[in-house]
Amino acid sequence: MCIRDSTMDMDFLRDHTYPYLREIGDFYEDYIWKEPYGDSYRYCIRTGCHEGSWDLNPSSDVCFVELTFRLLVKYSKLLGVDADRRDLWNDILGHLPTYQVMMPQHQPNQGKPVISKNESESGWDFPNHAINLHCIYPTEVLNRYSSADSVEYGRNTVYYYEADQNGFTECAHELGMNAFGMACLLYTSP
């Protein structure tokens, strides 16, 4: 949620939030790249900030790219600015990689597919570590209104990392704390 959504302050949106958001969009436009994919193409991102890994399309980064361009499209329309940039922003939104799904690798688990941290054959399965769920919180691009499969994968992932792997009880860092919010966003009724 952006400040405009919570305060309805158009002046703050125009003078502060939107210019800052546009700078973030400018960064992503320069940082992501377009590659052929199947019969079409997609935009990719590679990051190395997750425990020293160089991840291709990590869910924790793809969701921030998605949120940035969703908000840019929404707020540029609301403010009546940057109409010439919306085609690219919508193209990026329409061609982002999907969140990868994998089978859990640690015991205990329920044997249900979970959202992977990145796009690799082995995924990434670090016990009680829910960085791959930034798409639920804080970005909320995956929420209870998403497709039924996406919600199920999100719920499986919260349960696997935070209940099966004791993330709620043994991991008191920011991701463990965020998992409570993640669970609430997926388990409450619409």
Side-chain angles (χ1 to χ4, degrees), residues 20 41 77 79 145 171 175 179:
Y20 181 70
Y41 58 91
K77 288 178 183 177
L79 294 170
Y145 302 106
C171 194
L175 292 171

Side-chain angles (χ1 to χ4, degrees), residues 25-175:
D26 290 345
F27 168 78
Y28 280 137
E29 284 179 28
D30 289 339
Y31 192 74
I32 62 176
W33 73 91
K34 189 177 184 178
E35 71 173 15
Y37 189 73
D39 294 334
S40 186
Y41 58 91
R42 66 181 184 169
Y43 291 91
C44 295
I45 186 168
R46 185 176 294 279
T47 61
C49 59
H50 311 294
E51 289 76 36
S53 61
W54 278 98
D55 296 330
L56 176 61
N57 299 324
S59 56
S60 56
D61 290 76
V62 171
C63 64
F64 283 104
V65 173
E66 181 177 354
L67 179 62
T68 297
F69 290 109
R70 277 188 187 185
L71 292 175
L72 280 170
V73 169
K74 176 181 178 179
Y75 295 145
S76 71
K77 288 178 183 177
L78 187 64
L79 294 170
V81 297
D82 292 330
D84 59 323
R85 298 184 71 180
R86 283 186 222 137
D87 284 344
L88 174 60
W89 296 341
N90 281 313
D91 189 60
I92 292 168
L93 285 170
H95 294 92
L96 286 174
T98 59
Y99 301 114
Q100 298 298 301
V101 176
M102 62 180 239
M103 292 305 292
Q105 300 167 4
H106 293 278
Q107 294 294 330
N109 70 66
Q110 297 178 311
K112 296 180 178 179
V114 298
I115 297 172
S116 177
K117 177 183 167 275
N118 58 34
E119 191 175 295
S120 72
E121 289 183 23
S122 63
W124 184 81
D125 197 357
F126 191 77
N128 70 37
H129 200 298
I131 194 168
N132 43 335
L133 289 176
H134 281 158
C135 53
I136 299 171
Y137 182 82
T139 65
E140 298 182 37
V141 297
L142 192 156
N143 56 57
R144 63 182 178 254
Y145 302 106
S146 298
S147 73
D149 286 346
S150 295
V151 171
E152 180 182 347
Y153 298 145
R155 287 176 177 168
N156 295 348
T157 309
V158 169
Y159 195 88
Y160 171 59
Y161 286 107
E162 301 308 321
D164 288 346
Q165 300 300 314
N166 299 316
F168 284 136
T169 57
E170 294 181 8
C171 194
H173 58 58
E174 71 284 355
L175 292 171

